[in-house]
Amino acid sequence: MSASITVHVDPSLGRLPAAVSPSQVSTFEQCGLKYWFVQVRGWREPPSQATAVGTLVHDSFEDLYRLPAPERSVDTAHELLRLRAIAMREDPQYEPLLGNQAAAAHARTAVEGLYQLEDPQTLVVDPAGLEQVLIADVSGVPFSGRLDRMTSDGVVRISDYKTTPKQQSPAKLPGALRQLLLYAAAVQASGGPAVDEVELLYPAVPQRVRRPVYPAALNRAVDEFVAMRESTIHSALTGDWNAVTGPLCNYCPFQRWCPAQTPDAPALTSPGSEEGLIAKFGPGRVPQPDQSAAAEPVIDVELLTFDALADDEVAEL
Amino acid sequence: MSDTGWTPAWPVTGNARHTRVMASALGAPAGSCREKLASKARPALFLDRPFDRAMNGRTAPYRTFSLGIVVDAVRLLASNPEVVPADADPVVAAASLVDAVLSDGASAHAGARTWAVHAVTSYLEADEYLREDFPGLRPVGTRAVMYKSPDGEVKEVDVWGLWLRDQSTGVAELRMLRQRAIGDARPRDPAVVAVGAKIAADGQPYETDGKRYRPFLPMVDTDGEVRRVRVVDVGLADASYDVLFDGTVEEARELYAHVAAPQVATVLSGGGFSPGRDCDGCYVIEGCPAVPRRGGLLGVVGLATHRRYLTHTRLRDYEICPARYWLTAEAGVPQQRFESLGAARRGILVHAALEWLHARDVAVPCAAADLGDENDLPPVAIAIGALAEEWREVVRYLRHHVDVCALKLSLDWLRSEPSIVAFDNEADVVVSARPDLVAGAGDVVMWRETKTAAIAPPDDDLLLLEQYPQAALGLVLVAAGVVAEGSDALTVHDATGDGTEVVPGIVELEILTPTSARVVRYSTTDAATLQSARILLASRVDPWLRDTAFNPEPGPQCSWCPVQEWCRPELSSNAARAAVAMVVDGYRVDPETGEILPVGGDTTRSGGHAVIDVSADARAGVEAAGTPGVGSAGPSARVRSLAESIVGVSGETSDDDVPF
């Protein structure tokens, strides 16, 4: 069972992302306060085994599909995975995961599974359709995101890799599909083709989920996207964020600082809380001195267009 | 394998040695799925599958079994009489009981509540009549025949109804409920009566915690000795009743031994699959080898509130009016039946004739000679029960069919009016269709829908797909590989495909008019066409899947609505059915036949019918005035649905029996 409480924070600390990505919508839906931790304050949890595998598999699939089709053998895919893993070793944030055999096995399973879901050696992929950065105005809300893959074989299809090793519950699919529908809306809003179909690929299961893009679903996804942005603006202005408690709290890195989970924790944005969070997650999104001094929300609704997308946010995509 | 000789065809876990046979299983109609009955008779034996917490706990927005409300209300009166105000009018008393029941659990759709109040009122009236002869009868708790062996085997035989007992005379009475008047209901199966009599004679009272999989908990029987057994049917439409059995304990036992006991064993032993209507409410459909699972088949982004069963008729009913859908398909309230008229009757006869003709031989196409001449009715006309006048009208269409008969093609196999069922496990919807014909040549499957129309169809093939959405559904089902030669699709295709591989196949839409025949052919390998069909289907299913209110959408269609009495009682009189001509979003629809009329034709039928405008603008005005409406269907769907509504041909009829 989930419940929610409203948590008040100092609205002068942090700032809303200039643009909204589909995963932000999911985070906000899961818990408004987590959205504040991650997106407003910029405190990102360090990579977990699951996110590291996700990055590794996504990168190696991108490498695979940049090759000419006949060269995309499963052996080549495994070699690309190995090369990506070697490169990952150089990144200090992945150091705790070095030598993790379970993660390696998970990634290899995903590579094998891809070949059960589709035939990479016949799939027609335009390299321009790989890992495409999308910046668009979707119904007046700046959108940003990175599309895993877009193909066109009579049907314009956008695909998203999900590396979870578990068969997906039907109850979870609508949320995942909504993310793709938002990409479909953004593709069209940015002058691209009308997307006919969206596809979720779970290579580690393996499982494939496809849906036609039909108006009611597309409109609903966009409406929810806009509503989410409006809610975040309201929360950012008032400092009131909705903390949703439930089973997912056990996986939340901010549990120790969350008033809904740890009632005796120091009040959020109080010095005690800030020190602990900064010590754990780094400085995050540091407020500008003049803005924090003014104790006014750093949200300028007029600036919330995709033109205002900061360089570092583009780089993060 | 259980020790009753039945081996389920799916992985199971739990206790196979606990059986519970409901009387209604013995009265199941011919053609019922015997495997479902056998499975249902083992309440503690489950399909073995991974537990999915997110899927558990979903419930229907309203109670789906309206008869249960009635029984709960009557039982409440027995246990808690003060719920009813003193000296209350019978209807007020019934309403108090129903509302008390509904306040203590899941709510009911307003239409279902209206019916429940009517039904409880009828029951209380019948109860008064029945007590005239047996004034000592008092309600007692539920009873069943129960047996538990020392080694843990549990056998239970149960019947659904209300129990009464007169301790002074030793009369034990079971009252079973019928939605209709006794004279309108189909006769009770003798085995059901026999089970009721046996339980009245030898059954024990029991308690249950509501967990179906737990054995009943026997209680001490304080109701005294049984000397006389009565089984009574009560008709909830009009307080009618019928005594089905009245005899001694010994006679009850004898009847059970001869009539019911062999059938109990038959139910437990299974005996083959019958995909179709029985898939509705089946607990093991996810493991059923006769029903292909195709995640994403419907293309819809969403998950049903509870497992739902979808047919073209149900979706059409939903598009006409969400309340009509809920009350007919989910709540199971009694439906008024209207005689098929005009185009509906013509369509029924054309389909019946083609089914008869095509059943002769796959190599014998229809010929002009089959249709007879003006003087003699041919065998086919006699076989389908057409009157001479009707046949003359039907032949105007059928003679053009001869030119395009599917059997002229070189076919390897053919099935006429087959039941095609698939399970979209990602939406949690069972999809069922009954095409006019499916056939195969080599590896290619062909699905044909035959329609009659007063005017020639438009040339736009995609528009036709929208006008005849059965063809769109057919294309999606054929592409998903769930259509095959045998009794189920598994003879040629995978049971658990993810629904994303396209199986080559053809859907043909044969449109017969008095002057022409046209066959429009759609191929699953035409990506754009298949995509259009998927979008059409998903767009239709989406509002139905997401709806949790099922509000009524009042309009001219109410006059032909089978549940009008429970939704809008003021429409239940025949006078309200006076024919009216309609203009729907610019289309002119004959209200009596449901046909879209030629432009410039006579909109008002003979007799000067009023013209009702149900265009979008007019509807907006109605909705703005405060009439609840969902308005989910587009103009074309609305025209189609309204037309079909008025035609009022439903492949489904409500069963007034208890759905066990």
Side-chain angles (χ1 to χ4, degrees):
Chain A
M1 286 292 285
S2 295
S4 70
I5 63 167
T6 300
V7 175
H8 184 75
V9 299
D10 180 351
S12 69
L13 295 176
R15 64 184 171 91
L16 279 183
V20 183
S21 67
S23 62
Q24 281 184 38
V25 180
S26 300
T27 304
F28 184 72
E29 207 167 58
Q30 180 194 334
C31 175
L33 193 61
K34 186 176 184 186
Y35 183 88
W36 178 82
F37 281 117
V38 175
Q39 298 296 340
V40 178
R41 298 305 307 275
W43 286 317
R44 306 291 167 94
E45 53 192 306
S48 64
Q49 178 180 315
T51 56
V53 169
T55 303
L56 185 59
V57 169
H58 274 75
D59 289 349
S60 58
F61 285 0
E62 181 186 355
D63 295 343
L64 180 71
Y65 281 112
R66 287 197 186 281
L67 295 174
E71 295 177 22
R72 299 177 202 148
S73 69
V74 67
D75 290 342
T76 301
H78 279 296
E79 177 60 13
L80 293 170
L81 181 73
R82 196 179 69 83
L83 293 173
R84 279 289 184 176
I86 290 169
M88 220 176 207
R89 277 193 216 157
E90 309 301 317
D91 189 336
Q93 66 171 335
Y94 294 110
E95 196 176 336
L97 297 169
L98 290 180
N100 186 322
Q101 292 303 312
H106 180 175
R108 281 193 292 269
T109 301
V111 169
E112 295 285 344
L114 181 71
Y115 285 78
Q116 293 179 47
L117 292 175
E118 59 191 24
D119 182 358
Q121 292 188 293
T122 57
L123 189 68
V124 178
V125 180
D126 179 353
L130 294 172
E131 298 296 329
Q132 188 181 347
V133 172
L134 271 175
I135 297 174
D137 180 332
V138 175
S139 283
V141 174
F143 174 100
S144 69
R146 184 186 288 270
L147 194 55
D148 284 352
R149 192 174 84 191
M150 181 157 67
T151 55
S152 179
D153 58 355
V155 169
V156 177
R157 178 181 301 123
I158 56 178
S159 308
D160 194 31
Y161 310 120
K162 301 283 188 189
T163 47
T164 175
K166 291 181 182 169
Q167 179 84 22
Q168 284 305 285
S169 165
K172 306 282 187 196
L173 293 177
L177 287 163
R178 181 184 58 192
Q179 292 195 7
L180 277 170
L181 289 167
L182 286 174
Y183 279 112
V187 167
Q188 286 175 242
S190 60
V195 177
D196 298 311
E197 194 169 79
V198 293
E199 176 184 65
L200 292 164
L201 294 168
Y202 297 88
V205 179
Q207 182 184 3
R208 175 166 55 190
V209 175
R210 281 183 183 167
R211 295 291 185 275
V213 177
Y214 59 97
L218 192 65
N219 294 340
R220 191 163 52 240
V222 170
D223 288 348
E224 289 169 2
F225 176 74
V226 172
M228 172 269 179
R229 183 58 162 180
E230 288 170 353
S231 292
T232 58
I233 289 173
H234 179 263
S235 289
L237 290 169
T238 61
D240 292 334
W241 295 85
N242 208 26
V244 179
T245 60
L248 289 176
C249 291
N250 294 327
Y251 305 95
C252 179
F254 306 103
Q255 196 175 19
R256 268 176 57 196
W257 292 275
C258 174
Q261 282 289 306
T262 312
D264 57 353
L268 283 176
T269 60
S270 71
S273 176
E274 290 287 303
E275 284 168 16
L277 282 159
I278 289 169
K280 174 75 176 175
F281 299 104
R285 194 165 274 154
V286 181
Q288 300 299 313
D290 57 329
Q291 290 172 323
S292 59
E296 285 292 323
V298 291
I299 311 303
D300 183 343
V301 177
E302 295 301 316
L303 289 176
L304 294 176
T305 67
F306 58 85
D307 294 332
L309 204 62
D311 288 344
D312 62 332
E313 287 168 323
V314 173
E316 278 177 17
L317 294 174
Chain B
M1 176 166 166
S2 74
D3 60 0
T4 48
W6 177 67
T7 304
W10 49 88
V12 291
T13 182
N15 180 11
R17 304 186 73 222
H18 173 199
T19 63
R20 180 182 298 154
V21 178
M22 299 299 300
S24 56
L26 275 56
S32 297
C33 180
R34 308 303 305 181
E35 295 298 298
K36 178 184 178 182
L37 292 175
S39 166
K40 216 167 176 180
R42 290 167 174 83
L45 192 65
F46 307 102
L47 172 68
D48 192 8
R49 59 179 172 184
F51 178 71
D52 185 345
R53 186 182 301 278
M55 291 291 279
N56 269 22
R58 294 174 305 126
T59 55
Y62 303 116
R63 283 180 71 146
T64 53
F65 178 41
S66 300
L67 208 52
I69 302 170
V70 178
V71 169
D72 288 351
V74 174
R75 286 181 179 159
L76 180 64
L77 178 64
S79 64
N80 197 3
E82 61 270 24
V83 170
V84 177
D87 301 323
D89 170 88
V91 177
V92 173
S96 303
L97 288 164
V98 167
D99 289 341
V101 166
L102 296 177
S103 67
D104 192 28
S107 63
H109 191 280
R113 179 197 171 276
T114 302
W115 174 74
V117 170
H118 170 87
V120 171
T121 307
S122 293
Y123 178 83
L124 296 177
E125 188 182 342
D127 181 60
E128 276 190 34
Y129 298 142
L130 286 162
R131 281 175 196 270
E132 285 177 5
D133 293 333
F134 299 92
L137 281 176
R138 296 286 179 270
V140 293
T142 48
R143 312 176 76 84
V145 170
M146 293 168 273
Y147 164 78
K148 187 170 185 179
S149 73
D151 67 347
E153 184 178 14
V154 176
K155 293 180 179 177
E156 297 163 342
V157 178
D158 195 11
V159 66
W160 202 80
L162 294 154
W163 292 95
L164 298 98
R165 189 66 78 84
D166 182 345
Q167 290 196 0
S168 61
T169 61
V171 172
E173 183 167 299
L174 166 67
R175 292 182 188 166
M176 297 190 287
L177 305 181
R178 315 299 301 255
Q179 288 189 334
R180 300 197 180 102
I182 293 299
D184 295 337
R186 62 186 163 89
R188 278 282 181 203
D189 189 290
V192 176
V193 180
V195 168
K198 166 72 173 173
I199 298 174
D202 293 329
Q204 283 177 273
Y206 67 83
E207 278 187 331
T208 170
D209 61 0
K211 307 284 190 205
R212 184 178 169 271
Y213 54 85
R214 293 212 179 112
F216 294 146
L217 190 63
M219 296 164 61
V220 176
D221 193 346
T222 58
D223 295 329
E225 185 191 4
V226 178
R227 295 193 290 278
R228 182 175 174 184
V229 169
R230 282 165 54 87
V231 178
V232 179
D233 245 350
V234 176
L236 298 176
D238 61 352
S240 55
Y241 63 88
D242 187 19
V243 179
L244 304 172
F245 179 89
D246 191 341
T248 64
V249 169
E250 288 70 28
E251 287 168 338
R253 288 174 182 155
E254 192 174 338
L255 183 69
Y256 177 82
H258 283 95
V259 176
Q263 289 201 41
V264 169
T266 302
V267 165
L268 289 170
S269 60
F273 297 97
S274 183
R277 187 76 194 270
D278 276 353
C279 296
D280 191 6
C282 180
Y283 294 139
V284 293
I285 195 160
E286 288 153 289
C288 178
V291 177
R293 289 171 294 290
R294 293 290 186 272
L297 177 74
L298 294 167
V300 70
V301 179
L303 174 66
T305 49
H306 60 297
R307 181 163 299 158
R308 298 189 189 183
Y309 180 79
L310 182 70
T311 64
H312 167 70
T313 303
R314 288 187 171 199
L315 204 47
R316 181 205 66 188
D317 279 351
Y318 178 80
E319 288 171 342
I320 295 162
C321 170
R324 177 190 290 197
Y325 161 78
W326 182 269
L327 294 173
T328 56
E330 302 264 6
V333 301
Q335 299 177 41
Q336 204 171 337
R337 287 174 178 161
F338 297 119
E339 187 185 356
S340 298
L341 302 169
R345 176 72 179 153
R346 179 187 72 212
I348 289 168
L349 291 173
V350 166
H351 279 90
L354 292 179
E355 186 179 6
W356 190 90
L357 291 166
H358 292 162
R360 294 177 300 181
D361 188 327
V362 69
V364 179
C366 300
D370 295 325
L371 307 180
D373 57 35
E374 292 197 353
N375 301 319
D376 288 324
L377 282 179
V380 58
I382 295 166
I384 65 172
L387 304 174
E389 186 183 347
E390 291 174 330
W391 184 249
R392 274 194 292 278
E393 171 72 358
V394 165
V395 165
R396 293 173 67 210
Y397 294 82
L398 283 180
R399 70 174 169 231
H400 297 291
H401 165 79
V402 168
D403 301 330
V404 296
C405 179
L407 274 62
K408 284 187 167 179
L409 305 169
S410 179
L411 301 174
D412 297 333
W413 55 269
L414 176 146
R415 293 166 63 197
S416 200
E417 307 249 349
S419 178
I420 306 292
V421 182
F423 179 43
D424 184 340
N425 52 300
E426 289 171 5
D428 206 14
V429 175
V430 181
V431 187
S432 179
R434 191 174 284 276
D436 295 322
L437 181 150
V438 295
D443 291 337
V444 177
V445 168
M446 184 191 77
W447 168 307
R448 185 178 278 207
E449 294 282 351
T450 302
K451 302 293 171 194
T452 60
I455 56 172
D459 286 334
D460 184 332
D461 290 355
L462 286 180
L463 183 62
L464 284 175
L465 210 53
E466 190 176 346
Q467 282 192 1
Y468 298 101
Q470 299 101 317
L473 176 61
L475 200 63
V476 169
L477 289 169
V478 170
V482 302
V483 183
E485 180 178 3
S487 62
D488 62 70
L490 306 188
T491 49
V492 291
H493 297 305
D494 178 23
T496 57
D498 66 5
T500 59
E501 298 295 339
V502 173
V503 172
I506 298 291
V507 168
E508 292 185 340
L509 185 56
E510 174 185 343
I511 303 173
L512 303 176
T513 75
T515 57
S516 66
R518 182 172 167 213
V519 176
V520 184
R521 177 173 276 220
Y522 304 96
S523 170
T524 63
T525 55
D526 178 344
T529 300
L530 181 59
Q531 189 65 13
S532 296
R534 284 183 166 148
I535 289 172
L536 276 170
L537 181 61
S539 297
R540 293 185 71 208
V541 172
D542 187 279
W544 168 80
L545 191 80
R546 305 180 71 81
D547 197 349
T548 55
F550 299 96
N551 287 321
E553 186 150 0
Q557 64 272 22
C558 294
S559 299
W560 287 267
C561 177
V563 290
Q564 58 181 230
E565 189 174 1
W566 318 122
C567 184
R568 304 182 68 196
E570 72 275 13
L571 285 175
S572 61
S573 71
N574 284 332
R577 288 191 63 209
V580 287
M582 296 188 299
V583 176
V584 189
D585 295 329
Y587 291 82
R588 293 144 45 80
V589 178
D590 182 325
E592 200 166 324
T593 65
E595 283 189 299
I596 298 172
L597 297 167
V599 174
D602 180 15
T603 302
T604 54
R605 297 169 56 80
S606 61
H609 299 77
V611 175
I612 289 181
D613 183 356
V614 284
S615 63
D617 289 345
R619 280 158 49 95
V622 170
E623 287 168 10
T627 307
V630 171
S632 52
S636 175
R638 208 154 48 229
V639 171
R640 181 189 67 236
S641 297
L642 276 169
E644 291 194 45
S645 156
I646 296 155
V647 168
V649 184
S650 171
E652 301 176 275
T653 55
S654 70
D655 190 326
D656 62 353
D657 216 338
V658 180
F660 281 117

